[in-house]
Amino acid sequence: EAQVTQNPRYLITVTGKKLTVTCSQNMNHEYMSWYRQDPGLGLRQIYYSMNVEVTDKGDVPEGYKVSRKEKRNFPLILESPSPNQTSLYFCASSPGTGKERNTEAFFGQGTRLTVV
Amino acid sequence: AQSVTQPDIHITVSEGASLELRCNYSYGATPYLFWYVQSPGQGLQLLLKYFSGDTLVQGIKGFEAEFKRSQSSFNLRKPSVHWSDAAEYFCAVVTYSGGYQKVTFGTGTKLQVIP
């Protein structure tokens, strides 16, 4: 089954304790991205990756890092989480380029992060 | 820069009534347009998409959307709403520049369905 898998689904952590949210897709998609969803603000893009070793900032990248060492994985790293990063996070993937560029993004189930 | 506006934060409709959710975009050309639905506690599911051709597109669950270039709009419609349609709906635009994909979501419209 084609899917995007995020882990964990729920996470409570303390300020300053480094954490990683994993994201994996099994569709051989080139394009992957991370979003955060906050009430009244919709989904805002944090980082995206066009392919392995190619990443770039989205609209709200401060406080986050990503890496794309393999095509299927795109982890989101919070080196020193702060309470303002409490949010619902979504990973997404899509073919992104070439003749399949006009297909939709597939989303993970989301990770609800609370930073206290 | 592209932008997407969903002017209605919250809409309440009676079951069986018709529905229209508004979406306006700002972009220099015609972008790729999408509508997604998010049920409580779930990820986003694609309802329908528009790239070119017929401006009225059909999606899943009985939804349709009409692209109107003159109004820069892509409104979502359903003739008869079911209680299971209660969810949050997001409009999104996708553009490409220099081989890079840019995705922008609206702020969402939360739909409540009453008996």
Side-chain angles (χ1 to χ4, degrees), chain B residues 26-103:
Chain B
S26 174
Y27 183 63
T30 299
Y32 298 103
L33 296 158
F34 300 81
W35 273 100
Y36 286 87
V37 59
Q38 183 182 30
S39 298
Q42 301 296 311
L44 279 78
Q45 180 184 22
L46 180 73
L47 282 176
L48 45 78
K49 56 190 176 185
Y50 173 79
F51 304 117
S52 64
D54 192 348
T55 57
L56 184 64
V57 294
Q58 304 296 320
I60 62 171
K61 304 184 181 186
F63 285 91
E64 66 178 27
E66 185 172 13
F67 169 62
K68 293 185 177 180
R69 186 189 307 275
S70 61
Q71 299 176 19
S72 297
S73 69
F74 188 56
N75 294 348
L76 181 71
R77 301 194 295 246
K78 187 169 184 178
S80 177
V81 170
H82 188 263
W83 65 265
S84 61
D85 293 324
E88 191 159 17
Y89 293 80
F90 291 93
C91 182
V93 300
V94 176
T95 61
Y96 292 86
S97 178
Y100 284 84
Q101 183 187 82
K102 171 70 176 174
V103 182

Side-chain angles (χ1 to χ4, degrees), chain A residues 9 31 35 37 40-43 45 48 50 54 56 58-59 88 90 94 96-97 101-105 107-109, chain B residues 32 34 36 38 41-46 49 51 88 90 94 96-97 99-108:
Chain A
R9 291 289 309 278
Y31 186 90
Y35 299 86
Q37 183 180 11
L41 297 176
L43 282 86
Q45 192 178 55
Y48 64 93
M50 294 300 294
V54 180
D56 207 349
D59 298 315
L88 178 59
F90 286 100
S94 66
T97 59
R101 67 193 295 181
N102 60 353
T103 58
E104 76 275 16
F107 285 82
Q109 291 295 91
Chain B
Y32 298 103
F34 300 81
Y36 286 87
Q38 183 182 30
Q42 301 296 311
L44 279 78
Q45 180 184 22
L46 180 73
K49 56 190 176 185
F51 304 117
E88 191 159 17
F90 291 93
V94 176
Y96 292 86
S97 178
Y100 284 84
Q101 183 187 82
K102 171 70 176 174
V103 182
T104 304
F105 282 88
T107 51

Side-chain angles (χ1 to χ4, degrees), chain A residues 7-68:
Chain A
N7 280 297
R9 291 289 309 278
Y10 302 91
L11 179 60
I12 301 175
T13 190
V14 297
T15 298
K17 184 177 181 181
K18 180 180 178 180
L19 66 91
T20 299
V21 183
T22 64
C23 174
S24 180
Q25 51 94 3
N26 62 0
M27 296 166 278
N28 200 37
H29 284 167
E30 292 181 347
Y31 186 90
M32 297 185 74
S33 55
W34 276 102
Y35 299 86
R36 60 177 290 173
Q37 183 180 11
D38 302 289
L41 297 176
L43 282 86
R44 294 178 292 168
Q45 192 178 55
I46 302 170
Y47 268 95
Y48 64 93
S49 169
M50 294 300 294
N51 213 323
V52 175
E53 302 293 2
V54 180
T55 64
D56 207 349
K57 297 176 181 179
D59 298 315
V60 288
E62 293 77 21
Y64 304 95
K65 285 176 58 177
V66 293
S67 70
R68 188 90 182 273

Side-chain angles (χ1 to χ4, degrees), chain A residues 68-98:
Chain A
R68 188 90 182 273
K69 293 182 170 49
E70 308 166 275
K71 199 171 189 178
R72 64 182 292 123
N73 295 323
F74 190 45
L76 179 69
I77 303 157
L78 284 72
E79 295 270 4
S80 182
S82 62
N84 65 12
Q85 293 178 297
T86 293
S87 186
L88 178 59
Y89 291 86
F90 286 100
C91 179
S93 76
S94 66
T97 59

